[in-house]
Amino acid sequence: MPEALDATPYDALLLLSFGGPEGRDEVVPFLENVTRGRGIPKERLKEVGQHYFLFDGISPINDQNRALLDALRKDFAEHGLDLPVYWGNRNWAPYLTDTLREMVADGRRRILVLATSAYASYSGCRQYREDLAGALAMLEGEGLEPPRIDKLRHYFNHPGFVEPMVEGVLRSLAELPEEVRADAHLTFTTHSIPVAAADTSGPVEGHGDGGAYVRQHLDVARLVAEAVRERTGTAHPWKLVYQSRSGAPHIPWLEPDICDHLEELHGSGVAAAVMVPIGFVSDHMEVLYDLDTEATAKAAELGLPVRRSATVGSDPRFAAAVRDLVLERAAAGSARRVTPCALGALGASHDLCPVGCCPARTPKPAAAGADSPYA
């Protein structure tokens, strides 16, 4: 039997994700949840949902979260960490509020949250925290005592997140035709967000010029590119680009777009490219459509050989990284000492989001931060 690991004061881990439809009849209701309050007509949502209808209305994200759940539970059991793992989504079943209600019924009073978003931004952190606060308020309105919620720190530079991506790039390079492999560029991709949201991501003192969102992605891209150089002996040129823009055209979003970048590579005579989705934890719809479908079709049109490397998904090293993060956070404020694992120049992220971190245009209460009403 493995030696028991101590997660005190926590009694559960909540895997918190975005959610996605699992059938054609779920696509529009799911998109209504995602866009609630924006006044988008149903007919427009049907147009937006065409990406999902191409795959029979099924987003892969829920199955990927089930696989991650299994990986976490397996890792915890094998290493003597007695911490039950639950799963809730922000926008589709199993809904966050329902899962928290179940956790309260099971007697869980101090909960750690793992969000399936590794970087700092409003949509990747603060919005998750707002939804947590909304769910806790709903439980309180039902006469239940809301549990204490803490969120695991950003894990973009944890070795267990970075190393699987390095290996994914190496596999993708090996899949390219040998005559173009050495000259391939690495195209690191992440979700585009409004420039204003990027500039105000992270703590207030770091706002401006892309904020923490861009800095963190650039740090990971450097880590991966450098590891690939060390293992292959080839320094592949690289660039951070963006995908999945969804905002109004008059609002500036982070650029360049992946398809525009592929055109630029082709125009400059680049022999091949590997698309590396460092901004995504798993191969969900925005990877499946925007990269595997749209960007790959653009590359074929250009005659540019491309491969897309794997996301981390349920890799055992990522499950082990989550265990590290749980033990690190559990030791905070106690006599136990755990050295945070973090690669690159930025070091370990903060445990508690400070006031003004990743603000929204319309401020809302947020859990698991210095300004939380549920601290």
Side-chain angles (χ1 to χ4, degrees), residues 169 173 180-186 188 225 228-229 232 234-238:
V169 174
L173 285 168
V180 299
R181 191 177 303 152
D183 296 322
H185 281 226
L186 305 183
F188 294 97
V228 169
R229 183 197 63 77
T232 65
T234 300
H236 293 272
W238 63 269

Side-chain angles (χ1 to χ4, degrees), residues 20-262:
E22 297 190 274
R24 298 181 71 85
D25 59 342
E26 295 182 358
V27 171
V28 171
F30 162 72
L31 292 173
E32 286 175 332
N33 286 344
V34 173
T35 61
R36 182 170 288 116
R38 301 185 204 171
I40 299 176
K42 183 170 288 191
E43 290 307 311
R44 173 58 182 151
L45 294 179
K46 289 179 181 177
E47 294 175 18
V48 172
Q50 291 306 311
H51 296 179
Y52 291 94
F53 293 131
L54 287 174
F55 301 92
D56 208 27
I58 300 172
S59 168
I61 193 171
N62 283 342
D63 275 347
Q64 289 160 7
N65 281 324
R66 292 181 184 104
L68 180 55
L69 271 179
D70 290 343
L72 291 172
R73 289 166 177 163
K74 181 174 185 288
D75 179 271
F76 288 7
E78 289 177 348
H79 291 86
L81 180 57
D82 184 16
L83 193 71
V85 187
Y86 296 74
W87 169 37
N89 289 325
R90 293 174 48 216
N91 297 296
W92 202 248
Y95 287 104
L96 167 60
T97 303
D98 294 336
T99 300
L100 282 177
R101 192 180 292 113
E102 176 190 356
M103 296 176 82
V104 169
D106 289 347
R108 312 303 178 193
R109 300 302 315 148
R110 187 79 182 266
I111 297 167
L112 269 174
V113 172
L114 167 68
T116 55
S117 176
Y119 301 86
S121 69
Y122 171 72
S123 56
C125 182
R126 173 82 191 193
Q127 198 167 19
Y128 281 79
R129 295 175 48 228
E130 289 177 356
D131 285 357
L132 282 164
L136 293 172
M138 188 170 293
L139 296 185
E140 196 170 37
E142 296 170 1
L144 300 173
E145 182 181 353
R148 166 72 183 267
I149 298 283
D150 289 323
K151 182 177 174 290
L152 292 174
R153 66 174 172 87
H154 301 301
Y155 46 84
F156 61 92
N157 56 1
H158 193 287
F161 187 69
V162 174
E163 180 58 28
M165 291 191 289
V166 172
E167 290 193 3
V169 174
L170 295 173
R171 287 193 300 270
S172 293
L173 285 168
E175 292 169 1
L176 284 169
E178 186 174 359
E179 63 270 19
V180 299
R181 191 177 303 152
D183 296 322
H185 281 226
L186 305 183
T187 299
F188 294 97
T189 76
T190 190
H191 206 301
S192 183
I193 62 174
V195 170
D199 289 349
T200 56
S201 58
V204 172
E205 61 271 18
H207 287 179
D209 296 327
Y213 186 74
V214 172
R215 282 197 303 276
Q216 290 170 359
H217 281 88
L218 286 173
D219 205 39
V220 173
R222 290 188 194 99
L223 286 168
V224 174
E226 179 60 20
V228 169
R229 183 197 63 77
E230 290 175 356
R231 296 182 204 187
T232 65
T234 300
H236 293 272
W238 63 269
K239 187 169 184 175
L240 176 65
V241 305
Y242 303 93
Q243 62 175 91
S244 312
R245 174 182 173 141
S246 58
H250 68 280
I251 297 175
W253 283 52
L254 292 174
E255 296 178 333
D257 176 77
I258 174 65
C259 290
D260 294 338
H261 178 65
L262 293 177

